[in-house]
Amino acid sequence: MNAPKLESFGCRLNAYETQAMDELARAAGLEDVVIINSCAVTSEAVRQARQKIRALRRENPNAKMIVTGCAAQVEAERFSAMDEVDVVVGNIEKMQPQTWQKLASGSNEKIITQDIMAATKPETHRIDGLLGRARAYVQVQNGCDHRCTFCIIPYGRGNSRSVDVQTVIGQIQRLVDKGFKEVVLTGVDMTSWGADIEGEPRLGDLVQAILKNVPDLARLRISSIDSIEADPALIEAVSSEMRLMPHLHLSLQAGDNMILKRMKRRHMREDAIEFCIMMRKRRPDIVYGADIIAGFPTETEAMFENSLKLVEDCGLTWLHVFPFSPREGTPAARMPQLDRAIIKERASRLRALGDVVKERHLQGLVGTTQTALVEGKHKARTGGFAEIVLPNELPVGSIVDLKITSYLDGKLIAT
C-alpha cells in the first residue's frame, strides 16, 4: 500500500493545510490516495488544477483522487463531474479528522462540503512544520470579510475567523522546541486578525505577544498584509523588533486610483506610497513585495502607467504580477474586458520592471554581510527574502552570516 500523495496550489495557507491533510490522512490510515489542494485566485489557477488532476490520474490509475481547496469549494459540482475525480472535499471538511476517517472507512460520497459562509471558527490543525522545509508556517486567520470586485476567495474561504493568541503561541513554541528557527504567520486577510475576538486585538498585538512569549524564536515572518490596515502595534513591531524579518508583502493590486476604486480596494495610491516611505524611515533595511494586477477591466494605458510608477514610488522589490483573469460570479467579470493581448503585454512589461528592481536590490547587497536561513544544502535566504547560493553545504535550518560576493541569474552568491 502507498502513503498519500499530495499536490498543493496557490498560497502559503494552502501549503500549511496540505501538510495538515497529510497528517490527518495518515492518522486515519488512508492509503493509495492522491489529494489535490486547489487554488481559485484566477481562472488560470483553476485550469492548472484541472490539468494536474488529469495528469495525476494517468500516473496513478488505481488511486482514489480527492480534490479540495478553494476551487473545489467554489466549483464543487464542476470538479465532481470530472471522470478522474472520486471525491470533492470542502475547505472546512478538509481540516476535520472525521472527514479523513470517513474516507478511510470506504465512504462513497462524491461531494463532502457545507456552506463555507456559515463557518464561525477557523479550522486549525497542529503540524510539526512542512516536510522538507527549513521554516514552519502557522495559520493565524482564515477567510475574508471584504468583497473586492475581482476576488472569488471569500466564497472559497468564508468570512474572517481568527485563531486565538494562546493557540498561536502554543503552536509556535511547539515548532521552536522541534528545532525550527523561523516561523511564518499565514492567513487570507492577515490584518483583519482579531476583529472577531473579544476586545478586538490587532495583528500587531499578536505579533508582539509572540515575540514576548516565545523568546527562543529566532525569526518571525509575516506573509501578505493590507498596508492600509496596518495597526500602530504592528508598525512598532516591524520598526523595532529585529527578530521580525524586514520583509513585507503588500496587497496593492494597482497603482491608479480609479482602478483601485473599481476594484473596491480600501486604499488609494497615495496611501501605499506614504506607508512604504514611512516604514522605510523606521526600518531602513525593509524590503517590499507586492501583488499587482495587469489589465483590470477599463484600465487605460495611462492608468497602467500609474501601476508602473507605483513600483518606483513605493520602492518595491519582489513583484507578484497577475494578468487579469475574470472569475465567474465576481463583479469584475461583468465589467468591460480588455483584449487578452493587451493584458498579456502589460503583464510582461510589469514583470520586466520587476526584473530591473530586483537586480538593483541584489546588486546593492553585493559586498555586504547578510544573516540568512539555510533552506537547502546550497541555498539560503536573507531576512529580505533574497535567495543566496552557498559555496558549500551547510545544515538545513541553521542561521548563518554570509559575505555576499556577487549575484547571478537573480540569486546572490556568498562565501
Side-chain angles (χ1 to χ4, degrees):
M1 301 294 282
N2 298 314
K5 180 175 182 178
L6 294 97
E7 291 281 346
S8 182
F9 291 83
C11 64
R12 288 172 176 167
L13 182 55
N14 254 18
Y16 166 89
E17 291 173 340
T18 297
Q19 178 64 30
M21 284 189 288
D22 184 50
E23 295 180 6
L24 289 166
R26 289 172 185 267
L30 197 57
E31 298 175 315
D32 287 335
V33 297
V34 177
I35 303 168
I36 298 94
N37 199 10
S38 65
C39 173
V41 69
T42 64
S43 56
E44 174 62 16
V46 177
R47 187 195 69 78
Q48 290 176 1
R50 290 171 62 85
Q51 183 181 55
K52 189 65 174 180
I53 289 166
R54 296 186 183 100
L56 287 169
R57 171 53 76 201
R58 290 192 295 271
E59 296 168 10
N60 305 271
N62 299 316
K64 176 176 281 190
M65 187 74 65
I66 301 171
V67 182
T68 185
C70 290
Q73 178 71 45
V74 174
E75 303 182 40
E77 295 290 345
R78 183 183 179 194
F79 278 94
S80 70
M82 294 180 68
D83 292 337
E84 298 83 358
V85 175
D86 294 299
V87 187
V88 174
V89 176
N91 267 340
I92 295 175
E93 293 75 14
K94 73 181 183 184
M95 299 294 284
Q96 296 175 337
Q98 57 266 35
T99 299
W100 303 99
Q101 292 161 7
K102 181 190 295 185
L103 291 168
S105 70
S107 168
N108 58 3
E109 284 185 73
K110 189 71 185 272
I111 299 178
I112 306 175
T113 63
Q114 57 183 289
D115 181 8
I116 193 75
M117 305 309 291
T120 57
K121 294 183 179 180
E123 303 74 40
T124 59
H125 175 75
R126 295 194 309 175
I127 65 173
D128 294 333
L130 296 184
L131 294 176
R133 299 289 184 93
R135 61 178 55 81
Y137 295 80
V138 171
Q139 178 191 358
V140 302
Q141 182 271 343
N142 204 338
C144 184
D145 291 337
H146 305 300
R147 296 295 182 266
C148 297
T149 59
F150 56 85
C151 188
I152 198 72
I153 298 305
Y155 304 100
R157 288 285 181 177
N159 293 316
S160 182
R161 292 100 68 199
S162 307
V163 182
D164 67 272
V165 178
Q166 292 308 314
T167 298
V168 173
I169 289 174
Q171 170 73 338
I172 293 175
Q173 184 64 65
R174 183 165 175 260
L175 290 164
V176 170
D177 291 344
K178 289 182 175 295
F180 284 93
K181 294 182 172 62
E182 180 173 310
V183 168
V184 184
L185 304 183
T186 69
V188 176
D189 182 27
M190 291 274 290
T191 41
S192 71
W193 181 89
D196 55 334
I197 294 177
E198 185 178 355
E200 297 188 4
R202 303 292 300 276
L203 180 61
D205 299 317
L206 174 64
V207 168
Q208 293 197 13
I210 292 168
L211 292 168
K212 178 182 177 181
N213 290 283
V214 193
D216 294 336
L217 174 64
R219 292 157 68 111
L220 181 65
R221 194 179 290 275
I222 303 172
S223 57
S224 181
I225 68 165
D226 212 333
S227 58
I228 196 67
E229 294 183 339
D231 60 278
L234 180 60
I235 292 170
E236 178 59 31
V238 176
S239 303
S240 61
E241 295 283 359
M242 293 302 103
R243 289 190 292 149
L244 185 58
M245 294 298 94
H247 170 235
L248 292 178
H249 190 85
L250 309 176
S251 180
L252 298 182
Q253 309 305 344
D256 182 83
N257 283 341
M258 180 56 72
I259 293 298
L260 288 167
K261 183 177 181 180
R262 288 170 180 164
M263 287 179 167
K264 208 173 179 181
R265 299 295 294 165
R266 294 165 299 287
H267 71 275
M268 295 288 98
R269 66 172 286 121
E270 293 79 13
D271 298 320
I273 295 168
E274 181 182 355
F275 175 82
C276 289
I277 292 173
M278 179 266 293
M279 290 307 303
R280 180 159 280 124
K281 286 180 179 178
R282 287 171 167 261
R283 184 97 182 247
D285 62 338
I286 198 163
V287 182
Y288 301 116
D291 296 329
I292 301 182
I293 295 173
F296 187 81
T298 76
E299 181 185 71
T300 64
E301 178 62 25
M303 291 172 176
F304 174 69
E305 288 285 345
N306 281 333
S307 287
L308 291 174
K309 292 174 185 174
L310 188 73
V311 176
E312 297 288 359
D313 291 343
C314 285
L316 305 179
T317 296
W318 313 113
L319 296 193
H320 194 177
V321 177
F322 292 88
F324 177 76
S325 176
R327 294 293 283 118
E328 185 178 350
T330 63
R334 300 190 295 272
M335 296 178 184
Q337 305 292 306
L338 271 61
D339 184 273
R340 294 307 302 175
I342 293 176
I343 296 173
K344 184 177 180 180
E345 186 269 341
R346 289 179 182 173
S348 177
R349 286 161 63 191
L350 257 178
R351 290 186 178 118
L353 178 58
D355 291 339
V356 170
V357 295
K358 178 174 72 174
E359 181 173 338
R360 183 192 306 159
H361 172 67
L362 297 179
Q363 190 173 24
L365 295 178
V366 173
T368 67
T369 297
Q370 296 289 317
T371 301
L373 176 74
V374 179
E375 294 185 336
K377 292 180 179 179
H378 293 280
K379 176 184 175 183
R381 206 172 286 273
T382 68
F385 219 62
E387 185 176 336
I388 303 175
V389 177
L390 304 175
N392 53 292
E393 290 188 16
L394 292 172
V396 174
S398 61
I399 295 176
V400 295
D401 288 333
L402 299 167
K403 178 74 172 181
I404 308 300
T405 57
S406 60
Y407 72 93
L408 180 67
D409 296 331
K411 300 174 184 178
L412 297 171
I413 311 298
T415 57

